[in-house]
Every structure is written in structure tokens, then in C-alpha cells.
Amino acid sequence: MNNEAMCPKCKSTSLSSTNKGYSLLTGFIGSGKVMVTCMNCGLKFDPKERRQLEQNYDLNKKGELSQDQKIKTISFIVVVIIAVIWYLTK
């Protein structure tokens, strides 16, 4: 298992980390959380979620959908079906 810090999307090791600060919208919720930005492709990610992101991007290279993409696709289909049923029952 490789522990070298790298972007899960483009595998670049040119990364920058920042601490998330105070926001007017969310206040202190999530403040102090470390976020990493890839200087090559611009991807922003939580370093704790790097392994999961890496797996998702590796699956995408094989032509498979990531879990997040599957959920979004199914959600979209459900919304379309509900809209059609609502339209037909008017």
C-alpha cells in the first residue's frame, strides 16, 4: 500500500493543504478541517477520503460507475418517473 501523498484523480504529488475557516453561511461548522488541493488538476479533497476517491477514479478508468455516480443516476431516474406520473395524473 502506497502512503505517498498524491492526487486520487491524476496521481500528481503537487499538492497544497489548507485549513477550512469560518464561513458566514456555516459559521464554525467544519472549521479547522484540512482540505487538500491538487495543483495539477484542481481537485479538492479531504485527505481522510483519499482512498475512497482513488478507488472511484480507478473504477471510472475501467468504464464502471462509482457509487456516487450510481446514486445520482438512480436519483435522477426516480425524479423523472415521479414527474411523469404527476404529469399524467393531472
Side-chain angles (χ1 to χ4, degrees):
M1 189 169 280
N2 186 0
N3 287 329
E4 182 181 5
M6 69 173 65
C7 175
K9 183 177 181 182
C10 70
K11 308 297 186 213
S12 171
T13 56
S14 179
L15 304 173
S16 172
S17 65
T18 57
N19 284 334
K20 197 172 171 187
Y22 176 83
S23 161
L24 288 176
L25 185 60
T26 62
F28 288 105
I29 297 173
S31 66
K33 182 178 182 180
V34 175
M35 292 300 292
V36 177
T37 303
C38 176
M39 304 309 284
N40 186 44
C41 70
L43 178 71
K44 293 182 180 182
F45 62 96
D46 182 342
K48 295 177 184 173
E49 299 171 357
R50 182 178 73 97
R51 297 265 185 247
Q52 182 62 42
L53 288 170
E54 222 168 50
Q55 290 172 352
N56 289 347
Y57 283 111
D58 288 344
L59 287 175
N60 289 342
K61 289 178 186 174
K62 296 176 186 173
E64 300 174 17
L65 293 177
S66 70
Q67 188 68 24
D68 187 47
Q69 290 170 325
K70 288 177 185 177
I71 291 170
K72 287 179 182 176
T73 302
I74 291 170
S75 298
F76 177 75
I77 292 170
V78 168
V79 168
V80 168
I81 290 171
I82 290 171
V84 168
I85 291 171
W86 177 80
Y87 179 77
L88 294 174
T89 58
K90 277 178 64 176

